[in-house]
Amino acid sequence: MPSTFDTVAGIIAETCDIPRDKITPESHAINDLGIDSLDFLDVAFAIDKAFGIKMPLEEWTQEVNDGKVSSDQYFVLQHLCENIDALVAAKAA
Amino acid sequence: MRLEYFQMVDRVSALDPEARTISADCTVPEASPIFEGHFPGYPILPGVLMIETMAQTGGWLVMGLLRFSRMAFLAQVKEAKMRAFVAPGQVLRAEARLLHDGSGYAVATGRIVSGEKPVAEAEITYRVMPFPNETLRQELLKVARRVAVPAELFDE
């Protein structure tokens, strides 16, 4: 079974036409990979479908905009994957 | 349909919140300035207006399911296919099904049929966000009532 990161990286590579080898756990989806907000909707849709979750993007974005957290917390892929795992676990609980 | 006013949906004939589907009647007008340009001597409904018709139909579905607490803005159209020409006076049915209700976005499939004949289809993504102002919300509610969006989907 592929790891969460492998699945997410595959989605980003396919959806945003970014070479898979440029996508690392340390990549920031926006700052490093240059994914814009429209492409991120596609990524979010694919992630939601793949994991059977609803990522709370609005809540995350609000927290970043309010300065409560750094965007790294949600958009560096390693952290994004941790958040996805937490959502999957919460759904299963 | 009042094409020049972008009023593409005449009447919502069915909206099923459980199945997350909508169906709407849309009759192409016999005359419109749009047909003077598209095309002279051969009037047909522009494909972009078929896309708009599907987008508006799905938009009523998305906003209705949210009880008009938020606005659905067209963000993306994928796999749009215009399968048949549509002439003035033609009676159409537009349908949409919500594929996914995401956080701040929604994805739906739309299609248009004439009788049972497929006319157009697309996958449509919406940005779903607070209404930018109350004026827009009130105006949209007026239109929603006019096109017969089910009353139980209005909070007020």
Side-chain angles (χ1 to χ4, degrees), chain B residues 7 12 16 18 29 36 39-40 62 67 78 100 103 106 108 110 114 116 123 126 131 138 143 145-147 150-151:
Chain B
Q7 294 175 5
V12 172
D16 185 338
E18 293 294 317
E36 293 172 19
F39 295 101
V62 171
R67 296 182 172 274
K78 278 187 182 173
H100 186 62
S103 172
S114 177
E116 293 308 312
E123 181 183 293
Y126 302 87
F131 280 90
Q138 290 303 325
V143 179
R145 290 189 179 93
R146 180 172 54 74
V147 301

Side-chain angles (χ1 to χ4, degrees), chain B residues 33-112:
Chain B
I34 285 172
F35 295 134
E36 293 172 19
H38 194 283
F39 295 101
Y42 190 67
I44 54 173
L45 184 68
V48 289
L49 295 185
M50 295 185 201
I51 291 171
E52 178 66 20
T53 301
M54 292 185 281
Q56 288 190 15
T57 303
W60 289 124
L61 175 64
V62 171
M63 291 189 290
L65 293 177
L66 293 169
R67 296 182 172 274
F68 295 93
S69 61
R70 318 196 104 205
M71 173 78 184
F73 290 97
L74 177 61
Q76 181 169 243
V77 179
K78 278 187 182 173
E79 301 288 338
K81 292 180 181 173
M82 274 56 81
R83 296 187 179 276
F85 290 158
V86 172
Q90 199 163 333
V91 177
L92 305 174
R93 187 173 75 250
E95 301 169 341
R97 182 168 63 90
L98 185 66
L99 288 181
H100 186 62
D101 167 32
S103 172
Y105 74 99
V107 184
T109 54
R111 67 191 291 253
I112 297 174

